[in-house]
Structures are given as structure tokens and as C-alpha cells.
Amino acid sequence: MTADAMRRLLDHVGEALEEMGPFDSAQEEADAHRHLLRLCSAGLELYVERADPARPLPTVWMSPTRKFLGDSPDTIYTTVPVSPDHTYALTIQPGNAVYIGVVVYARDEPGGPVRAVSSVIDTRLESVDGRFEIKVGSDVDPDDPQGLLLDDRSFWIMVREYFSDPRNHRASTITIERTDGDITDGLPNPDDLTAGIDAAADWILSQARADAALYGLMAFPQGSSVQAEQDVEVPDDLVSLFYPTPDIAYQGCRFTLETDDQLEITFRPPACRFWSVVVSTPWFESLEQRSTPASINSATAEVDEDGKVTVVVSESNPGLANWIPLRGYRKGQVAYRVLLGESELSEATYVVGTNRRSGDSEPLAVLATTKLDGRDDGGR
């Protein structure tokens, strides 16, 4: 029973492997395969090792060595499995995040699209001895500012934390306890383990396909030597695979740059809690940021006198403050996100050239038109 599930897992990983490519170099191929290994790591943790809502454990999705889903080095995402059959006490001891948001997600059918059920953010929560204590369950009053309602399809809680300086952040301490019974230890249930392995296998394959589909859908910038769109199969639940939240809006583009090219992103950010520009690989992983910046955000950016921001993405230093180095990548994508914006986003401009240019371009079609911001999902 579990052996068959293990074989199906390996088959799904093999299928995802075969669908990757073609590649321009051995380094690009290795990068793609590392991405698939990272998906395997996350899938097994999310759906097997830490997936039991009767014995809930938080999982930190992303890290410097595990990236996917358009992650940002400015953020930490933590998920917790839940079930309407149980009640919980979720405790968050904040670090130095500039924003903490919590969303409950549900699926109306196994493997189907996800939707937001309920959510809270730090400004709505009362601190008790420096902690946020949140009641979670199907009996929670939807208007309770200290509670999260579970409907009959809820399966996950996600905690998002945003940091102004990701290299000097202090993450929250997140714990969850069941409040409706004891937790028991013992041998795994074969049915549950089989279901978990199959869920991990399905997620790994669907996520690999979603990353490829999103890359194929995004527009190239003005001035790009590459403009042809890829012929990609778009999953019906593409947006939901990225777990939209009602608090964030996105724009972006993809790019293919020569060594001497640079991509210039210009925008006027609205009043908001936080914004960032992040450069990712074609697999939708943020570039490594252990020693080199992969993002520019509202706390670190240089802003013009008229309120505009220009970010340059290139291999060599253009001599500008808002520079994100490519460190050998030639293909990738850029995500511009705004957290709790007080007005609609004006469209950013994306221009490729060998010399700095600004103010002479028309706005491009941007990813925000696909509603990745989640504002249509009734997530409050």
C-alpha cells in the first residue's frame, strides 16, 4: 500500500523532470533540477511529516535553500495544518517583522483550487504579554478580532511575515496547540501515510507545472530582444496554487538579458505598509541572497524627489543605488508587490537597454491582470 504510493511519488517526480527544459546550459539544467529537489523537500514536509491536523506542527515553507512559488527574501511563510473537526490555540510571539498576516485556506474538493476563508493582521490583534493569541475553530465568531473561523473545508493556516532587512530579521515564534483533546504518539496509519505521499506527489508535479505556466504567461519588457510567448498549458487553478491573500497586489515581467543588457523597472509606489521588487529565476525562486541582494524594498530603496523609484537588474553594476545583480543568470522574472496599498497600483514600466533610459516607455501588460492579489476571493 505505502510501497505503491512511494512508486507513484517517484513516477510524478520523473514526469516533472521530463517536462523541464530545453536548457541553454548545464548550469541552467542544474538550476532546474535543484528546484525540483526543493519542491520534493517542501512537498514531503507539508503533506507527510507535518500534515496531520490532529497533531499540528508549523512548517516554514521557504529558506535560503528552499524556494518556490515566487518567494521573497523579505518574507517568511509558515503553514499549519488544521481541521474543522478540532479547535486550536495559535500563538505568535512577534520578532521584528513590519507586517504579520494570517489566512485560513480551504479547498471545496480534494486537489481543487484553494480559497481564503478568514484572515487577521497584526493591527487587528491585541497583544497579551507581547504575544498574539488567536482562537481557531469552526465555532469562532467571524467578527471576533482574536479568532480565525474554519469552515467545513479548511485545511491550512498560513502566517506571512515581512521584514525591512531580511539579513537582520528576527522571526516570530509560532506555536499551535489543539484544545479539544490529547495528542497521542505511535506507529503511522498506513491509509494516512499513503494519502500523504500521494498528496505530496500531486503537489510536486502541479507546482512544477504552475511555475512553468506562470513564466510562460508573463510579458517581456519593452526593448527585449526576445518577445515570443511560450506555448504553455495553463492549469485551471493556476492562481490558487500561489495562495492569494487579500492584502497584497502584484505586477511583474519576465526577461532574457545579454551580458551587457540591463532591465530598468520604474514605478511610483502608493502609500502602503511595505513594497518590494524581487528578482527570481525562471522557476520562480528568488535569487540567492546570502551575501548579495535579490530585492529592493520600501525601507532600502532610493526614491526620486517626485516619488518615483527606479530599480535596475543587470550583471554589472550600473552605479545606481537600487541595483539587483544577476550573478550569472540570463533568464528570470521580476515581481513588484505592494502590501496593504492605500490606492490602486499604477502600472510600472519595464525597459531593456544597454544604457539607462527612463520616462520614455509605455506601461506593459502586467501580471496583476491575472488577479494574483486574491482580492476577488472574499478572503476576509
Side-chain angles (χ1 to χ4, degrees):
M1 190 172 181
T2 51
D4 288 342
M6 291 288 290
R7 294 186 184 97
R8 288 192 293 272
L9 170 65
L10 296 176
D11 288 343
H12 277 58
V13 173
E15 191 173 348
L17 182 66
E18 291 299 320
E19 292 179 6
M20 289 181 156
F23 305 107
D24 293 336
S25 67
Q27 289 84 359
E28 186 178 87
E29 182 177 21
D31 195 46
H33 294 164
R34 181 176 64 174
H35 171 61
L36 183 55
L37 290 171
R38 288 171 169 176
L39 291 181
C40 292
S41 167
L44 291 173
E45 192 163 327
L46 289 167
Y47 290 95
V48 180
E49 295 296 344
R50 292 172 173 258
D52 186 357
R55 299 151 46 92
L57 288 172
T59 296
V60 177
W61 278 42
M62 287 91 175
S63 73
T65 57
R66 187 163 74 192
K67 301 162 174 284
F68 52 93
L69 269 176
D71 68 288
S72 168
D74 302 307
T75 61
I76 294 177
Y77 304 89
T78 303
T79 57
V80 183
V82 291
S83 166
D85 295 334
H86 303 294
T87 58
Y88 307 89
L90 176 67
T91 302
I92 301 174
Q93 179 77 51
N96 62 354
V98 299
Y99 162 88
I100 300 173
V102 191
V103 181
V104 173
Y105 291 102
R107 283 193 179 94
D108 291 323
E109 58 186 31
V114 300
R115 56 179 172 82
V117 175
S118 58
S119 64
V120 294
I121 62 173
D122 45 20
T123 52
R124 288 180 55 197
L125 294 167
E126 294 182 6
S127 177
V128 178
D129 296 328
R131 303 185 306 274
F132 298 139
E133 297 181 349
I134 305 170
K135 296 175 290 184
V136 181
S138 58
D139 58 347
V140 171
D141 185 337
D143 296 323
D144 185 348
Q146 300 295 121
L148 286 168
L149 175 67
L150 302 181
D151 70 6
D152 60 354
R153 302 292 183 177
S154 298
F155 71 99
W156 259 358
I157 292 173
M158 182 180 290
V159 181
R160 289 176 170 87
E161 301 177 75
Y162 276 73
F163 300 89
S164 58
D165 185 352
R167 283 170 289 187
N168 293 297
H169 72 257
R170 286 187 292 106
S172 297
T173 300
I174 300 172
T175 59
I176 188 165
E177 295 183 3
R178 262 186 57 199
T179 56
D180 64 327
D182 295 329
I183 293 175
T184 58
D185 297 324
L187 288 166
N189 180 299
D191 290 330
D192 292 342
L193 183 58
T194 296
I197 295 170
D198 282 336
D202 290 341
W203 181 84
I204 292 166
L205 181 57
S206 66
Q207 189 56 62
R209 288 172 170 170
D211 291 338
L214 186 60
Y215 180 70
L217 287 173
M218 293 179 75
F220 282 102
Q222 180 178 334
S224 174
S225 60
V226 179
Q227 288 291 342
E229 296 295 322
Q230 294 182 354
D231 183 16
V232 295
E233 183 177 345
V234 180
D236 293 337
D237 61 343
L238 177 61
V239 172
S240 77
L241 285 169
F242 291 83
Y243 294 89
T245 171
D247 295 336
I248 305 174
Y250 299 85
Q251 295 182 7
C253 75
R254 59 171 160 157
F255 61 81
T256 298
L257 300 178
E258 300 299 329
T259 303
D260 295 331
D261 287 343
Q262 65 181 33
L263 170 62
E264 188 173 290
I265 305 103
T266 304
F267 55 94
R268 190 189 303 275
C272 60
R273 178 81 69 89
F274 178 91
W275 63 258
S276 67
V277 174
V278 178
V279 177
S280 300
T281 74
W283 332 115
F284 227 44
E285 300 181 4
S286 65
L287 301 184
E288 284 193 315
Q289 187 168 268
R290 301 196 215 185
S291 61
T292 309
S295 68
I296 299 290
N297 66 41
S298 48
T300 61
E302 181 178 282
V303 182
D304 294 344
E305 290 183 0
D306 63 357
K308 283 188 177 180
V309 177
T310 298
V311 176
V312 172
V313 179
S314 63
E315 187 64 36
S316 58
N317 191 339
L320 300 175
N322 301 331
W323 174 49
I324 302 177
L326 279 174
R327 70 214 67 178
Y329 283 92
R330 292 293 169 261
K331 296 178 182 178
Q333 44 205 322
V334 170
Y336 162 45
R337 73 188 76 196
V338 172
L339 173 66
L340 294 176
E342 296 179 13
S343 60
E344 292 295 321
L345 269 66
S346 59
E347 291 189 351
T349 61
Y350 308 84
V351 180
V352 172
T354 54
N355 299 306
R356 289 193 70 238
R357 297 183 298 168
S358 63
D360 60 352
S361 59
E362 294 296 327
L364 298 182
V366 292
L367 184 60
T369 58
T370 64
K371 289 295 181 184
L372 278 182
D373 56 19
R375 297 178 190 273
D376 287 347
D377 62 14
R380 289 285 178 194

